[in-house]
Amino acid sequence: MKKTILSIAALVLFTAACKKAEETPAADATTAADTTAVKTETAEAAKPMDSAAMMKAWEAYATPGEAHKMLAADNGNWEAESTMYMSANDPKPMKTKMTASTKMVMGGRYQESRYSGNMMGQPFEGVSTVAYDNASKKYVSTWIDNMGTGVMYLTGDYDTATKTMNMSGECTDPMSGQKKKMRETFAIVDDNTRKMEMFDTDPSGNEYKSMEIVMTRKK
C-alpha cells in the first residue's frame, strides 16, 4: 500500500513537472511577443517627423486663430471697479477704482492688460497676460502686481454658452507658505462690459469669493 501511494505521488509530481515544462515555452513566447509589440510601438512613437510635417505642425501652433480674435475684442481702454472681500462674510468689502489698457501683442498671439489705480492708500499697478495655446487647446493667464513678488498662473476653457472663461490653478499663500487653490471666471457681459470674479481658499480649505471687477469700456 505504501509503495502504491509513493508511486501515485511520484506520478503526480512527474505529470506536474511535464505540464510546467510544456507551459513555460508558451508563456515565454507570449512575453516575447508582448515585448516585441512594445518595442515596435515605442519605435513608431520615437520615429522623427519629416521636415515638412514639422514645419506644418509648428505653423499651426504659431498661427493665431478664432480664440485670439475673441481676445482681441477686448482691445481698448477700460474703467474698472474692484470689490475685494477678506472673507466669505466680509461685512465691509473694499472698493477700488482703476483703469486698464488692453492690447494684443506679439503679432496678435497674446493679450496684455495693464491696470493702475490706488489700493489701500497706495499706488497700484498690475499686469495680466492671456493666451490661447494652440497645442494644449487651453487658455492660460498670468498675473503680477506691485503688491507681491509672485506670479499667479491659471489655465482653463471658454464656455461659449455663457461667454465665460473658467480658469483655475494654485498659488502660494504668503502667510502660511502653503499652496492653495484659486479660481477665476471672466465673463463677456456685452460688447462694452466685462466681469471678473476671483475665488480664493480660506485656511479651512473652503472656497470664497475674494474679488469682483466690473470693467466698462471707455468711449
Side-chain angles (χ1 to χ4, degrees), residues 135-173:
S136 68
K137 310 302 182 186
K138 293 286 184 180
Y139 288 88
V140 182
S141 77
T142 64
W143 172 265
I144 58 174
D145 59 49
N146 65 334
M147 295 290 182
T149 54
V151 179
M152 186 169 66
Y153 179 88
L154 304 174
T155 63
D157 300 293
Y158 179 73
D159 184 346
T160 55
T162 60
K163 296 184 178 180
T164 301
M165 197 178 297
N166 299 294
M167 314 287 281
S168 62
E170 290 184 336
C171 71
T172 302
D173 185 344

Side-chain angles (χ1 to χ4, degrees), residues 25 36 43 57 65 67 69 74 79 84 93-94 108 111 118 132 136 177 218:
T36 301
K69 290 180 182 178
D74 289 352
E79 297 282 359
M84 296 182 64
M94 182 174 65
Q111 180 197 79
N118 286 279
Y132 179 75
S136 68
K218 288 185 178 180

Side-chain angles (χ1 to χ4, degrees), residues 9-64:
L11 180 61
V12 170
L13 289 172
F14 178 77
T15 304
C18 291
K19 186 176 182 182
K20 184 176 181 181
E22 292 172 356
E23 292 177 347
T24 300
D28 289 344
T30 301
T31 301
D34 291 344
T35 302
T36 301
V38 170
K39 287 182 178 179
T40 301
E41 290 176 0
T42 303
E44 291 178 352
K47 184 179 179 180
M49 298 171 65
D50 59 53
S51 59
M54 290 176 64
M55 184 64 70
K56 184 176 181 180
W58 199 266
E59 183 180 355
Y61 174 60
T63 302

